[in-house]
Amino acid sequence: MSIPTKLNVALAKEIESWAKESIISDEQAKVLLARYPAKHGGAHAITLVTIIGAVLVGLGTLLYIGANWTGMATIWKLTIIATAIVASHAAGWIFKFEPGNRPKLGTAFLLLGSLFYGGAIWLIAQIFNIDVQFPNGLLLWLIGTAACALTTRSVPLGILASVIFSLWTMQDLSNWSHYSSNDSMQRIIGIAAGLGAAWFMRSQAMAWIILLASSAWVAFESGCYAPGVLFWGIALFGGYLAIQNKDLPLESPLKYVGSCSALAALLSVTCNRMNWGEINQTHYAATLGAALVVHGLLLYKRKDVRRETLGCLAIIACFILVQNNYNETVRAIAFNAMLLASLFALAATALQKLHSPGLLNTALAFVVFDIICRYFDIFFSMMDRSMFFILGGIILMVGGALAEKGRRQLLGSMES
Amino acid sequence: MTTTRNTKGMLVAAVCLQFSILIGLTVQPVMTLTTGKVVTLKTLPVDPYDMFRGDYVRLRYDMSNMQVTPAPKNGGAVYVALTPDGEYWKARSASSEKPVLREGEICIKGIAKKTYNGFDLHFGIEQVYVPEKTGKKIEQAKALSVALAVDNNGNAAIKKVVNGSETVYDADNILNLSPQLRPLR
């Protein structure tokens, strides 16, 4: 079993002390130490330094070529960058995979190769005056980098691909009304492929980057606003329910990005009461469809999470009903009730069923955010500014102390 | 050993994919520049400079916001019929279907992007990179013209940009071993 480096170091010290105190025999200590071989805490730092070195070399080379473009013939620029791509990948291969060499240096060279490849795309775009926004440039860079990441199973390359994915999803297309159905389909396929790649490479870092970027896209670029974010969050949370306790890298990102997205969407509708613009129906349908499919499958396949799944489906149904109600008071009351019910349900599930302190903390954090929002809603225009802040501060301090006390009691009961 | 060999083969395939993409990016503009018919359009320069890639000039054409009939889809293809008009060419019509061309006309293909008040037409010729520190001067140019190479499929590439009597960009330099372009004084 793989355990974190810090725990590994602590465990080795503990085993040594147990052996010294004769709690276990020397033989048993050897067996245990062999089961958890020593990890060196500096390994990550060395990898990081090597990778930063590769990034700096890549950037420096590209800036050199870019800055000297009037003084260098095009054919030479292309030759230099093509040679750099091949040489970096070859060196990466030799150092990473040939016996007796240095895998971390190999990874750095592979990363450099993909940076040079990205540089080559922009260089060609510059030579032939291809559009400065060039959305497909990032997509082409992503495809080439992802191909190398998947073939070598190199996590740093996967992380580079995830960062390019984030840039691609979030790049300025000015407004969702500029999106064609082709753009939408590309992004939806991209999100699915990115999550699949994170799963394949067993990389939690990739999953975090892809899910955060996808959520940011749904929230700010897709044009489906709070409803889309809510459905998207519920779909991700359903994904978490499906894979919980299986020690998979997607578990934590799905759990937290999903629950935070859904709760943030509910909180936002209690604050601005549907002040969003015209909704992009394609993206709205896609996020709603994703949530319904995930929870439909869960309902069919997983009886152990039926209560949670029905709760999520109830939130979706209530939201759609309330969203189409034009009475502002009814909407405000209903959205607040939905938020409170969701927070209570999440806390109860985290406590009783999922045994997840992180989810409990998430629910309590949103309780605090809700208190702050309601305080601003009710008192901002009613009170003198100084009184508003003094009273607000007191409420937060008391509320924070009570919340912390309650949180400790809940966590204590969870542990017992 | 077999796994390592497989990984090596797949890495080689991935690098080949990268090169295929790079070559794919290059082939079409090179073909258009070498085989396309040359037409010259008047243009208007706007806001140059790209932080990462140096000076460039954004170009706007009369045909960039033409009325398109029948109306295109967002992101769909549009075709503009160009007709010679003295020294320069001008747009006669814009359509989402391939137009029937008159004698001597040429068709340029673009993409329609929806805006708040209609469509912006993009032809892939809306910017040109120029030597460092020359973009500002070109931005102020009063008589900027662009020579385009347009191939039989309507794809266009910038062949030459002329500011008055001075050539500020010449695509013929692309495959030369030493660049001929001189920065503007």
Side-chain angles (χ1 to χ4, degrees):
Chain A
M1 189 179 89
S2 175
I3 59 172
T5 307
K6 276 185 185 174
L7 184 60
N8 184 284
V9 172
L11 190 60
K13 280 182 186 168
E14 279 297 298
I15 292 170
E16 278 174 25
S17 66
W18 295 338
K20 273 182 192 170
E21 293 165 26
S22 301
I23 297 170
I24 55 172
S25 68
D26 288 347
E27 284 304 311
Q28 284 171 324
K30 275 181 190 170
V31 171
L32 285 172
L33 285 170
R35 192 181 174 99
Y36 303 104
K39 284 184 184 175
H40 300 289
H44 288 306
I46 293 166
T47 309
L48 194 66
V49 167
T50 319
I51 285 167
I52 290 171
V55 172
L56 290 178
V57 170
L59 284 177
T61 310
L62 295 176
L63 284 173
Y64 177 79
I65 294 173
N68 292 281
W69 81 290
T70 47
M72 196 185 289
T74 305
I75 193 77
W76 292 124
K77 282 189 275 186
L78 291 175
T79 307
I80 289 170
I81 200 126
T83 311
I85 293 170
V86 173
S88 303
H89 281 108
W93 170 264
I94 291 166
F95 281 110
K96 190 170 173 67
F97 294 107
E98 294 294 330
N101 281 309
R102 300 171 183 177
K104 288 180 176 56
L105 191 59
T107 300
F109 270 113
L110 288 173
L111 192 69
L112 190 58
S114 282
L115 286 172
F116 282 143
Y117 164 65
I121 290 175
W122 300 110
L123 187 68
I124 289 169
Q126 186 192 58
I127 290 167
F128 295 107
N129 300 304
I130 299 171
D131 191 357
V132 70
Q133 295 289 352
F134 196 30
N136 291 338
L138 283 169
L139 180 61
L140 296 176
W141 190 9
L142 173 60
I143 291 169
T145 305
C148 281
L150 291 172
T151 53
T152 57
R153 287 206 172 204
S154 160
V155 171
L157 265 182
I159 290 172
L160 174 66
S162 307
V163 171
I164 301 168
F165 170 85
S166 308
L167 295 173
W168 173 65
T169 51
M170 290 304 295
Q171 69 187 313
D172 179 25
L173 287 170
S174 304
N175 189 287
W176 67 262
S177 62
H178 287 215
Y179 273 73
S180 64
S181 54
N182 195 25
D183 292 326
S184 300
M185 194 46 71
Q186 278 183 13
R187 271 151 186 83
I188 290 165
I189 292 171
I191 290 168
L195 288 176
W199 181 294
F200 175 74
M201 296 187 62
R202 301 271 184 273
S203 169
Q204 200 173 69
M206 281 177 69
W208 272 111
I209 296 170
I210 289 163
L211 282 178
L212 286 171
S214 307
S215 300
W217 176 72
V218 173
F220 303 114
E221 293 267 335
S222 72
C224 47
Y225 307 100
V229 179
L230 175 72
F231 302 150
W232 172 248
I234 288 176
L236 296 185
F237 193 72
Y240 157 69
L241 290 175
I243 63 165
Q244 54 158 328
N245 298 329
K246 289 186 180 167
D247 198 26
L248 289 169
L250 290 183
E251 188 176 323
S252 281
L254 283 173
K255 176 165 65 173
Y256 294 115
V257 178
S259 57
C260 289
S261 299
L263 292 174
L266 282 176
L267 187 64
S268 78
V269 292
T270 63
C271 293
N272 64 18
R273 299 195 183 97
M274 287 181 65
N275 282 335
W276 56 71
E278 190 190 345
I279 287 177
N280 180 324
Q281 296 298 334
T282 311
H283 296 156
Y284 180 91
T287 49
L288 177 59
L292 292 178
V293 166
V294 170
H295 285 278
L297 285 172
L298 275 175
L299 209 55
Y300 178 63
K301 291 265 184 191
R302 295 282 300 271
K303 298 213 171 7
D304 57 320
V305 289
R306 176 166 280 181
R307 201 176 61 179
E308 289 73 19
T309 304
L310 287 172
C312 289
L313 290 171
I315 293 171
I316 293 173
C318 289
F319 190 90
I320 292 170
L321 283 174
V322 175
Q323 182 194 355
N324 293 322
N325 189 312
Y326 292 96
N327 185 320
E328 199 170 298
T329 313
V330 171
R331 275 207 313 263
I333 293 168
F335 281 143
N336 276 289
M338 281 169 61
L339 176 62
L340 289 175
S342 304
L343 289 171
F344 178 77
L346 184 67
T349 308
L351 198 62
Q352 292 169 356
K353 186 156 198 179
L354 302 173
H355 305 292
S356 167
L359 268 187
L360 184 64
N361 288 335
T362 305
L364 289 173
F366 273 90
V367 169
V368 174
F369 295 150
D370 192 29
I371 291 170
I372 295 170
C373 292
R374 296 296 72 80
Y375 177 72
F376 268 85
D377 273 357
I378 297 165
F379 296 117
F380 192 72
S381 55
M382 285 170 60
M383 282 196 286
D384 178 73
R385 289 291 164 271
S386 55
M387 280 306 292
F388 173 82
F389 285 112
I390 291 167
L391 197 61
I394 292 168
I395 287 174
L396 280 182
M397 285 164 71
V398 173
L402 289 174
E404 179 58 19
K405 191 181 170 190
R407 191 181 74 91
R408 285 185 184 181
Q409 280 175 351
L410 290 170
L411 288 176
S413 67
M414 189 186 290
E415 280 164 14
S416 64
Chain B
M1 191 65 188
T2 312
T3 312
T4 311
R5 200 174 294 155
N6 284 345
T7 311
K8 189 175 187 177
M10 286 194 291
L11 180 62
V12 170
V15 176
C16 287
L17 173 72
Q18 292 187 348
F19 272 94
S20 311
I21 289 170
L22 295 177
I23 292 165
L25 271 175
T26 315
V27 167
Q28 199 228 303
V30 168
M31 290 298 289
T32 304
L33 283 168
T34 49
T35 63
K37 185 175 178 179
V38 178
V39 299
T40 306
L41 300 176
K42 280 184 183 172
T43 182
L44 197 68
V46 281
D47 84 52
Y49 200 71
D50 176 354
M51 197 174 129
F52 297 105
R53 287 176 284 165
D55 267 10
Y56 77 97
V57 181
R58 285 188 71 78
L59 305 170
R60 188 143 183 96
Y61 304 88
D62 288 341
M63 60 184 178
S64 302
N65 48 5
M66 274 184 84
Q67 188 75 30
V68 185
T69 32
K73 285 180 186 168
N74 186 21
V78 285
Y79 302 87
V80 173
L82 296 173
T83 190
D85 181 28
E87 191 183 345
Y88 299 102
W89 292 58
K90 68 175 185 182
R92 179 177 60 80
S93 69
S95 168
S96 55
E97 292 159 7
K98 272 195 172 179
V100 179
L101 297 175
R102 295 174 189 163
E103 181 72 30
E105 284 188 342
I106 199 163
C107 173
I108 184 169
K109 187 178 164 188
I111 289 173
K113 286 278 180 186
K114 199 174 174 186
T115 61
Y116 291 106
N117 52 359
F119 286 95
D120 252 355
L121 309 185
H122 295 257
F123 302 92
I125 49 167
E126 281 77 19
Q127 63 178 5
V128 63
Y129 284 90
V130 293
E132 287 286 334
K133 295 174 185 169
T134 62
K136 278 282 173 200
K137 183 170 180 179
I138 298 169
E139 187 193 26
Q140 290 152 7
K142 295 280 189 289
L144 204 64
S145 63
V146 175
L148 301 174
V150 184
D151 69 16
N152 290 335
N153 297 319
N155 299 310
I158 296 174
K159 201 166 175 66
K160 201 176 273 189
V161 179
V162 178
N163 180 16
S165 59
E166 195 165 17
T167 300
V168 293
Y169 172 82
D170 192 345
D172 288 343
N173 291 322
I174 286 175
L175 295 176
N176 283 350
L177 288 177
S178 57
Q180 303 293 311
L181 201 63
R182 294 279 178 271
L184 291 175
R185 286 180 295 279

